[in-house]
Amino acid sequence: MNLTHRFIPATQESARVLLLLHGTGGNENDLIPLGRDLDPSAALLSLRGNVLENGMPRFFRRLAEGVFDEEDVIRRANELADFLRQLALEYGFDPSQLTAVGYSNGANIAAAVLVLRPGTIRSAILFRSMVPLVPAVMPDLKGTRVLMLSGTHDPIVPVENSERLAAMLEKAGADVTHRFEEAGHQLVFGEIAAAKNWLSAA
Ligand code: MLT
């Protein structure tokens, strides 16, 4: 498996690698400015989803908006976890230094990797995420930090759904911070500053 991607090495002595995962219809260029803003010195690894929905890249198949093809979620999350190992060797970064930064569908695949392949990603910022699936076996996520940023009037992600994801990750032992913005599905200014603070507190 190979996903179209961009890797931008760290600009200074930083071991951190931000794994950037776009929303539906995006590509590997979309989140580069956000990543740079979140951490000016980290390496950036930005992937393009290889599932096409009417020509729009995504990270897994869905049957309808908010209704996911769970078999495909499992398959793609495992492929992504394996691909990250391969990329760590190729670019010479330490996989334990990855922080996933996902928006919408990108946040949902990051959440799927968290629960299906624990240990692959130990830190994640999830913008507008929802429950990707309920795993058959609850993972042990002790030592994993997650920041969730959700919108109070997001038409795609009901508040109750993002709360369920936060509860699931917490129950698995992750250290979860869940912040709500007065916002819809689009990102708003204040949450970027909140994400920066959360990152620098690691
Ligand atoms: C998804 O399909 O992952 C969610 O509905 C969010 C989206 O990409 O629109």
Side-chain angles (χ1 to χ4, degrees):
M1 216 263 312
N2 194 1
L3 293 181
T4 301
H5 62 277
R6 275 176 75 182
F7 180 77
I8 301 174
T11 56
Q12 290 163 27
E13 277 309 301
S14 170
R16 180 180 282 150
V17 183
L18 296 182
L19 169 65
L20 307 174
L21 301 162
H22 63 78
T24 301
N27 65 37
E28 68 280 13
N29 299 315
D30 286 15
L31 299 186
I32 299 278
L34 172 65
R36 247 317 139 248
D37 193 12
L38 289 175
D39 184 337
S41 57
L44 304 179
L45 173 60
S46 192
L47 308 186
R48 185 196 303 185
N50 58 348
V51 172
L52 290 182
E53 181 185 279
N54 303 319
M56 297 186 296
R58 288 176 52 82
F59 289 96
F60 57 81
R61 265 169 44 85
R62 64 178 163 183
L63 307 173
E65 194 171 279
V67 184
F68 303 146
D69 176 340
E70 289 203 1
E71 219 173 274
D72 197 59
V73 173
I74 293 168
R75 174 180 159 202
R76 306 289 172 181
N78 279 303
E79 283 180 356
L80 180 52
D82 294 341
F83 186 53
L84 288 173
R85 257 196 240 162
Q86 186 186 314
L87 289 174
L89 292 176
E90 190 176 329
Y91 293 113
F93 64 80
D94 175 356
S96 73
Q97 298 297 317
L98 281 170
T99 291
V101 178
Y103 169 65
S104 192
N105 182 245
N108 296 342
I109 190 71
V113 172
L114 280 172
V115 297
L116 293 171
R117 293 287 294 266
T120 303
I121 298 170
R122 299 193 164 276
S123 167
I125 301 175
L126 307 179
F127 292 101
R128 307 299 182 270
S129 52
M130 56 196 291
V131 178
L133 84 170
V134 176
V137 182
M138 262 303 165
D140 179 357
L141 293 180
K142 270 188 230 73
T144 303
R145 280 179 92 224
V146 181
L147 173 65
M148 285 178 58
L149 296 137
S150 303
T152 49
H153 45 273
D154 186 333
I156 296 173
V157 183
V159 165
E160 163 282 315
N161 191 306
S162 64
E163 281 177 339
R164 246 191 307 130
L165 175 60
M168 186 166 97
L169 296 173
E170 234 159 33
K171 197 164 165 220
D175 168 4
V176 181
T177 304
H178 193 188
R179 201 184 126 105
F180 277 95
E181 305 300 324
E182 278 293 319
H185 203 61
Q186 296 305 315
L187 300 188
V188 293
F189 189 69
E191 63 191 303
I192 309 301
K196 270 193 215 181
N197 283 339
W198 181 88
L199 255 189
S200 59

PDB file of all heavy atoms in Angstrom, residues 22-25 53 58 60-62 64-68 103-109 128 130 156-157 185, ligand 1:
ATOM      1  N   HIS A  22      -6.532  15.038   5.936  1.00  0.00           N
ATOM      2  CA  HIS A  22      -7.524  15.998   5.428  1.00  0.00           C
ATOM      3  C   HIS A  22      -8.967  15.491   5.548  1.00  0.00           C
ATOM      4  O   HIS A  22      -9.222  14.304   5.785  1.00  0.00           O
ATOM      5  CB  HIS A  22      -7.209  16.330   3.961  1.00  0.00           C
ATOM      6  CG  HIS A  22      -7.318  15.134   3.045  1.00  0.00           C
ATOM      7  ND1 HIS A  22      -8.528  14.649   2.605  1.00  0.00           N
ATOM      8  CD2 HIS A  22      -6.366  14.323   2.504  1.00  0.00           C
ATOM      9  CE1 HIS A  22      -8.313  13.604   1.815  1.00  0.00           C
ATOM     10  NE2 HIS A  22      -7.008  13.376   1.742  1.00  0.00           N
ATOM     11  N   GLY A  23      -9.900  16.375   5.300  1.00  0.00           N
ATOM     12  CA  GLY A  23     -11.318  16.025   5.250  1.00  0.00           C
ATOM     13  C   GLY A  23     -11.730  15.585   3.853  1.00  0.00           C
ATOM     14  O   GLY A  23     -10.923  15.624   2.903  1.00  0.00           O
ATOM     15  N   THR A  24     -12.976  15.149   3.703  1.00  0.00           N
ATOM     16  CA  THR A  24     -13.497  14.670   2.415  1.00  0.00           C
ATOM     17  C   THR A  24     -13.274  15.708   1.315  1.00  0.00           C
ATOM     18  O   THR A  24     -13.623  16.880   1.482  1.00  0.00           O
ATOM     19  CB  THR A  24     -15.005  14.379   2.537  1.00  0.00           C
ATOM     20  OG1 THR A  24     -15.197  13.392   3.542  1.00  0.00           O
ATOM     21  CG2 THR A  24     -15.589  13.880   1.223  1.00  0.00           C
ATOM     22  N   GLY A  25     -12.694  15.244   0.205  1.00  0.00           N
ATOM     23  CA  GLY A  25     -12.480  16.132  -0.937  1.00  0.00           C
ATOM     24  C   GLY A  25     -11.181  16.913  -0.851  1.00  0.00           C
ATOM     25  O   GLY A  25     -10.894  17.730  -1.726  1.00  0.00           O
ATOM     26  N   GLU A  53     -14.804   9.224  -3.462  1.00  0.00           N
ATOM     27  CA  GLU A  53     -16.267   9.307  -3.434  1.00  0.00           C
ATOM     28  C   GLU A  53     -16.633  10.398  -4.435  1.00  0.00           C
ATOM     29  O   GLU A  53     -16.368  11.580  -4.171  1.00  0.00           O
ATOM     30  CB  GLU A  53     -16.742   9.673  -2.023  1.00  0.00           C
ATOM     31  CG  GLU A  53     -18.246   9.758  -1.884  1.00  0.00           C
ATOM     32  CD  GLU A  53     -18.646  10.235  -0.490  1.00  0.00           C
ATOM     33  OE1 GLU A  53     -18.670   9.419   0.442  1.00  0.00           O
ATOM     34  OE2 GLU A  53     -18.909  11.450  -0.345  1.00  0.00           O
ATOM     35  N   ARG A  58     -10.998  10.405   0.241  1.00  0.00           N
ATOM     36  CA  ARG A  58     -11.350  10.143   1.638  1.00  0.00           C
ATOM     37  C   ARG A  58     -10.425   9.038   2.153  1.00  0.00           C
ATOM     38  O   ARG A  58      -9.707   8.424   1.380  1.00  0.00           O
ATOM     39  CB  ARG A  58     -12.798   9.600   1.725  1.00  0.00           C
ATOM     40  CG  ARG A  58     -13.885  10.569   1.474  1.00  0.00           C
ATOM     41  CD  ARG A  58     -15.258   9.867   1.493  1.00  0.00           C
ATOM     42  NE  ARG A  58     -15.503   9.060   2.670  1.00  0.00           N
ATOM     43  CZ  ARG A  58     -15.921   9.528   3.850  1.00  0.00           C
ATOM     44  NH1 ARG A  58     -16.155  10.805   3.989  1.00  0.00           N
ATOM     45  NH2 ARG A  58     -16.109   8.712   4.870  1.00  0.00           N
ATOM     46  N   PHE A  60     -11.716   6.395   4.120  1.00  0.00           N
ATOM     47  CA  PHE A  60     -12.464   5.127   4.125  1.00  0.00           C
ATOM     48  C   PHE A  60     -13.820   5.370   3.478  1.00  0.00           C
ATOM     49  O   PHE A  60     -14.257   6.515   3.328  1.00  0.00           O
ATOM     50  CB  PHE A  60     -12.613   4.562   5.552  1.00  0.00           C
ATOM     51  CG  PHE A  60     -13.273   5.497   6.534  1.00  0.00           C
ATOM     52  CD1 PHE A  60     -14.657   5.622   6.583  1.00  0.00           C
ATOM     53  CD2 PHE A  60     -12.508   6.242   7.411  1.00  0.00           C
ATOM     54  CE1 PHE A  60     -15.264   6.491   7.483  1.00  0.00           C
ATOM     55  CE2 PHE A  60     -13.106   7.114   8.324  1.00  0.00           C
ATOM     56  CZ  PHE A  60     -14.487   7.241   8.352  1.00  0.00           C
ATOM     57  N   ARG A  61     -14.472   4.279   3.118  1.00  0.00           N
ATOM     58  CA  ARG A  61     -15.767   4.372   2.441  1.00  0.00           C
ATOM     59  C   ARG A  61     -16.894   4.691   3.424  1.00  0.00           C
ATOM     60  O   ARG A  61     -16.869   4.253   4.572  1.00  0.00           O
ATOM     61  CB  ARG A  61     -16.087   3.026   1.779  1.00  0.00           C
ATOM     62  CG  ARG A  61     -15.694   2.925   0.315  1.00  0.00           C
ATOM     63  CD  ARG A  61     -15.786   1.489  -0.174  1.00  0.00           C
ATOM     64  NE  ARG A  61     -16.991   0.819   0.278  1.00  0.00           N
ATOM     65  CZ  ARG A  61     -18.189   0.875  -0.324  1.00  0.00           C
ATOM     66  NH1 ARG A  61     -18.345   1.587  -1.420  1.00  0.00           N
ATOM     67  NH2 ARG A  61     -19.208   0.213   0.156  1.00  0.00           N
ATOM     68  N   ARG A  62     -17.868   5.427   2.957  1.00  0.00           N
ATOM     69  CA  ARG A  62     -19.075   5.596   3.777  1.00  0.00           C
ATOM     70  C   ARG A  62     -20.281   5.251   2.923  1.00  0.00           C
ATOM     71  O   ARG A  62     -20.249   5.346   1.693  1.00  0.00           O
ATOM     72  CB  ARG A  62     -19.184   7.014   4.338  1.00  0.00           C
ATOM     73  CG  ARG A  62     -19.344   8.089   3.308  1.00  0.00           C
ATOM     74  CD  ARG A  62     -19.488   9.460   3.939  1.00  0.00           C
ATOM     75  NE  ARG A  62     -19.241  10.495   2.936  1.00  0.00           N
ATOM     76  CZ  ARG A  62     -19.238  11.788   3.163  1.00  0.00           C
ATOM     77  NH1 ARG A  62     -19.459  12.237   4.379  1.00  0.00           N
ATOM     78  NH2 ARG A  62     -19.002  12.659   2.190  1.00  0.00           N
ATOM     79  N   ALA A  64     -23.392   6.558   3.637  1.00  0.00           N
ATOM     80  CA  ALA A  64     -24.130   7.823   3.574  1.00  0.00           C
ATOM     81  C   ALA A  64     -23.394   8.768   4.515  1.00  0.00           C
ATOM     82  O   ALA A  64     -22.456   8.345   5.198  1.00  0.00           O
ATOM     83  CB  ALA A  64     -25.571   7.610   4.057  1.00  0.00           C
ATOM     84  N   GLU A  65     -23.805  10.023   4.574  1.00  0.00           N
ATOM     85  CA  GLU A  65     -23.134  10.951   5.482  1.00  0.00           C
ATOM     86  C   GLU A  65     -23.295  10.450   6.927  1.00  0.00           C
ATOM     87  O   GLU A  65     -24.426  10.209   7.378  1.00  0.00           O
ATOM     88  CB  GLU A  65     -23.729  12.356   5.345  1.00  0.00           C
ATOM     89  CG  GLU A  65     -22.827  13.380   6.006  1.00  0.00           C
ATOM     90  CD  GLU A  65     -23.278  14.793   5.707  1.00  0.00           C
ATOM     91  OE1 GLU A  65     -22.964  15.307   4.618  1.00  0.00           O
ATOM     92  OE2 GLU A  65     -23.953  15.371   6.580  1.00  0.00           O
ATOM     93  N   GLY A  66     -22.187  10.244   7.578  1.00  0.00           N
ATOM     94  CA  GLY A  66     -22.214   9.782   8.970  1.00  0.00           C
ATOM     95  C   GLY A  66     -22.489   8.295   9.138  1.00  0.00           C
ATOM     96  O   GLY A  66     -22.581   7.804  10.264  1.00  0.00           O
ATOM     97  N   VAL A  67     -22.642   7.571   8.006  1.00  0.00           N
ATOM     98  CA  VAL A  67     -22.863   6.112   8.091  1.00  0.00           C
ATOM     99  C   VAL A  67     -21.685   5.432   7.394  1.00  0.00           C
ATOM    100  O   VAL A  67     -21.525   5.535   6.183  1.00  0.00           O
ATOM    101  CB  VAL A  67     -24.184   5.685   7.404  1.00  0.00           C
ATOM    102  CG1 VAL A  67     -24.420   4.190   7.598  1.00  0.00           C
ATOM    103  CG2 VAL A  67     -25.347   6.511   7.914  1.00  0.00           C
ATOM    104  N   PHE A  68     -20.863   4.760   8.192  1.00  0.00           N
ATOM    105  CA  PHE A  68     -19.596   4.279   7.670  1.00  0.00           C
ATOM    106  C   PHE A  68     -19.628   2.798   7.320  1.00  0.00           C
ATOM    107  O   PHE A  68     -20.348   2.015   7.923  1.00  0.00           O
ATOM    108  CB  PHE A  68     -18.496   4.547   8.692  1.00  0.00           C
ATOM    109  CG  PHE A  68     -18.378   6.005   9.078  1.00  0.00           C
ATOM    110  CD1 PHE A  68     -18.028   6.388  10.362  1.00  0.00           C
ATOM    111  CD2 PHE A  68     -18.651   7.003   8.144  1.00  0.00           C
ATOM    112  CE1 PHE A  68     -17.935   7.737  10.709  1.00  0.00           C
ATOM    113  CE2 PHE A  68     -18.566   8.349   8.474  1.00  0.00           C
ATOM    114  CZ  PHE A  68     -18.209   8.709   9.762  1.00  0.00           C
ATOM    115  N   TYR A 103      -8.807  16.401  10.329  1.00  0.00           N
ATOM    116  CA  TYR A 103     -10.036  17.198  10.216  1.00  0.00           C
ATOM    117  C   TYR A 103     -11.133  16.319   9.600  1.00  0.00           C
ATOM    118  O   TYR A 103     -10.915  15.700   8.545  1.00  0.00           O
ATOM    119  CB  TYR A 103      -9.796  18.440   9.351  1.00  0.00           C
ATOM    120  CG  TYR A 103     -11.068  19.162   8.987  1.00  0.00           C
ATOM    121  CD1 TYR A 103     -11.845  19.773   9.972  1.00  0.00           C
ATOM    122  CD2 TYR A 103     -11.524  19.194   7.677  1.00  0.00           C
ATOM    123  CE1 TYR A 103     -13.044  20.390   9.660  1.00  0.00           C
ATOM    124  CE2 TYR A 103     -12.714  19.819   7.345  1.00  0.00           C
ATOM    125  CZ  TYR A 103     -13.471  20.410   8.341  1.00  0.00           C
ATOM    126  OH  TYR A 103     -14.664  21.021   8.035  1.00  0.00           O
ATOM    127  N   SER A 104     -12.275  16.234  10.268  1.00  0.00           N
ATOM    128  CA  SER A 104     -13.450  15.565   9.726  1.00  0.00           C
ATOM    129  C   SER A 104     -13.130  14.112   9.346  1.00  0.00           C
ATOM    130  O   SER A 104     -12.762  13.342  10.218  1.00  0.00           O
ATOM    131  CB  SER A 104     -13.974  16.404   8.555  1.00  0.00           C
ATOM    132  OG  SER A 104     -15.233  15.974   8.151  1.00  0.00           O
ATOM    133  N   ASN A 105     -13.209  13.745   8.085  1.00  0.00           N
ATOM    134  CA  ASN A 105     -12.910  12.357   7.742  1.00  0.00           C
ATOM    135  C   ASN A 105     -11.485  11.965   8.161  1.00  0.00           C
ATOM    136  O   ASN A 105     -11.253  10.827   8.583  1.00  0.00           O
ATOM    137  CB  ASN A 105     -13.103  12.146   6.226  1.00  0.00           C
ATOM    138  CG  ASN A 105     -12.845  10.716   5.810  1.00  0.00           C
ATOM    139  OD1 ASN A 105     -11.907  10.438   5.072  1.00  0.00           O
ATOM    140  ND2 ASN A 105     -13.656   9.791   6.282  1.00  0.00           N
ATOM    141  N   GLY A 106     -10.554  12.909   8.096  1.00  0.00           N
ATOM    142  CA  GLY A 106      -9.178  12.641   8.534  1.00  0.00           C
ATOM    143  C   GLY A 106      -9.104  12.398  10.039  1.00  0.00           C
ATOM    144  O   GLY A 106      -8.310  11.575  10.517  1.00  0.00           O
ATOM    145  N   ALA A 107      -9.929  13.114  10.805  1.00  0.00           N
ATOM    146  CA  ALA A 107      -9.978  12.886  12.255  1.00  0.00           C
ATOM    147  C   ALA A 107     -10.610  11.530  12.541  1.00  0.00           C
ATOM    148  O   ALA A 107     -10.201  10.822  13.474  1.00  0.00           O
ATOM    149  CB  ALA A 107     -10.783  13.995  12.925  1.00  0.00           C
ATOM    150  N   ASN A 108     -11.573  11.147  11.717  1.00  0.00           N
ATOM    151  CA  ASN A 108     -12.252   9.870  11.945  1.00  0.00           C
ATOM    152  C   ASN A 108     -11.341   8.674  11.665  1.00  0.00           C
ATOM    153  O   ASN A 108     -11.380   7.683  12.393  1.00  0.00           O
ATOM    154  CB  ASN A 108     -13.527   9.788  11.103  1.00  0.00           C
ATOM    155  CG  ASN A 108     -14.537  10.847  11.519  1.00  0.00           C
ATOM    156  OD1 ASN A 108     -14.432  11.404  12.612  1.00  0.00           O
ATOM    157  ND2 ASN A 108     -15.497  11.142  10.653  1.00  0.00           N
ATOM    158  N   ILE A 109     -10.495   8.783  10.633  1.00  0.00           N
ATOM    159  CA  ILE A 109      -9.559   7.664  10.404  1.00  0.00           C
ATOM    160  C   ILE A 109      -8.507   7.646  11.518  1.00  0.00           C
ATOM    161  O   ILE A 109      -8.090   6.571  11.974  1.00  0.00           O
ATOM    162  CB  ILE A 109      -8.907   7.702   8.988  1.00  0.00           C
ATOM    163  CG1 ILE A 109      -8.143   6.405   8.680  1.00  0.00           C
ATOM    164  CG2 ILE A 109      -7.945   8.860   8.817  1.00  0.00           C
ATOM    165  CD1 ILE A 109      -8.989   5.205   8.446  1.00  0.00           C
ATOM    166  N   ARG A 128     -13.510  18.064  14.657  1.00  0.00           N
ATOM    167  CA  ARG A 128     -14.831  17.637  14.141  1.00  0.00           C
ATOM    168  C   ARG A 128     -14.890  16.122  13.903  1.00  0.00           C
ATOM    169  O   ARG A 128     -15.281  15.651  12.831  1.00  0.00           O
ATOM    170  CB  ARG A 128     -15.173  18.382  12.832  1.00  0.00           C
ATOM    171  CG  ARG A 128     -15.079  19.887  12.893  1.00  0.00           C
ATOM    172  CD  ARG A 128     -16.023  20.492  13.909  1.00  0.00           C
ATOM    173  NE  ARG A 128     -15.930  21.937  13.906  1.00  0.00           N
ATOM    174  CZ  ARG A 128     -15.083  22.643  14.666  1.00  0.00           C
ATOM    175  NH1 ARG A 128     -14.274  22.016  15.513  1.00  0.00           N
ATOM    176  NH2 ARG A 128     -15.058  23.952  14.606  1.00  0.00           N
ATOM    177  N   MET A 130     -15.998  12.060  14.867  1.00  0.00           N
ATOM    178  CA  MET A 130     -17.122  11.279  15.378  1.00  0.00           C
ATOM    179  C   MET A 130     -16.683   9.824  15.556  1.00  0.00           C
ATOM    180  O   MET A 130     -15.565   9.466  15.194  1.00  0.00           O
ATOM    181  CB  MET A 130     -18.343  11.425  14.480  1.00  0.00           C
ATOM    182  CG  MET A 130     -18.158  11.075  13.031  1.00  0.00           C
ATOM    183  SD  MET A 130     -19.513  11.706  11.987  1.00  0.00           S
ATOM    184  CE  MET A 130     -20.880  10.697  12.521  1.00  0.00           C
ATOM    185  N   ILE A 156     -22.917  18.040  10.664  1.00  0.00           N
ATOM    186  CA  ILE A 156     -22.444  16.708  10.255  1.00  0.00           C
ATOM    187  C   ILE A 156     -22.156  15.825  11.478  1.00  0.00           C
ATOM    188  O   ILE A 156     -22.396  14.619  11.455  1.00  0.00           O
ATOM    189  CB  ILE A 156     -21.193  16.849   9.346  1.00  0.00           C
ATOM    190  CG1 ILE A 156     -21.600  17.566   8.055  1.00  0.00           C
ATOM    191  CG2 ILE A 156     -20.549  15.502   9.053  1.00  0.00           C
ATOM    192  CD1 ILE A 156     -20.467  17.921   7.133  1.00  0.00           C
ATOM    193  N   VAL A 157     -21.639  16.432  12.533  1.00  0.00           N
ATOM    194  CA  VAL A 157     -21.277  15.666  13.735  1.00  0.00           C
ATOM    195  C   VAL A 157     -22.158  16.104  14.911  1.00  0.00           C
ATOM    196  O   VAL A 157     -21.927  17.162  15.505  1.00  0.00           O
ATOM    197  CB  VAL A 157     -19.792  15.877  14.105  1.00  0.00           C
ATOM    198  CG1 VAL A 157     -19.428  15.009  15.309  1.00  0.00           C
ATOM    199  CG2 VAL A 157     -18.883  15.584  12.922  1.00  0.00           C
ATOM    200  N   HIS A 185     -19.239  22.941  11.189  1.00  0.00           N
ATOM    201  CA  HIS A 185     -18.219  21.962  10.799  1.00  0.00           C
ATOM    202  C   HIS A 185     -16.893  22.638  10.448  1.00  0.00           C
ATOM    203  O   HIS A 185     -15.844  22.009  10.492  1.00  0.00           O
ATOM    204  CB  HIS A 185     -18.752  21.131   9.629  1.00  0.00           C
ATOM    205  CG  HIS A 185     -18.077  19.795   9.499  1.00  0.00           C
ATOM    206  ND1 HIS A 185     -18.116  18.831  10.491  1.00  0.00           N
ATOM    207  CD2 HIS A 185     -17.321  19.256   8.497  1.00  0.00           C
ATOM    208  CE1 HIS A 185     -17.430  17.765  10.101  1.00  0.00           C
ATOM    209  NE2 HIS A 185     -16.935  18.013   8.897  1.00  0.00           N
TER     210      HIS A 185
HETATM  211  C1  MLT B   1     -16.924  11.169   7.438  1.00  0.00           C
HETATM  212  O1  MLT B   1     -17.450  10.737   6.428  1.00  0.00           O
HETATM  213  O2  MLT B   1     -15.841  10.782   7.895  1.00  0.00           O
HETATM  214  C2  MLT B   1     -17.695  12.221   8.138  1.00  0.00           C
HETATM  215  O3  MLT B   1     -19.008  12.217   7.712  1.00  0.00           O
HETATM  216  C3  MLT B   1     -17.093  13.555   7.961  1.00  0.00           C
HETATM  217  C4  MLT B   1     -16.957  13.927   6.517  1.00  0.00           C
HETATM  218  O4  MLT B   1     -15.960  13.599   5.922  1.00  0.00           O
HETATM  219  O5  MLT B   1     -17.831  14.597   5.981  1.00  0.00           O
END
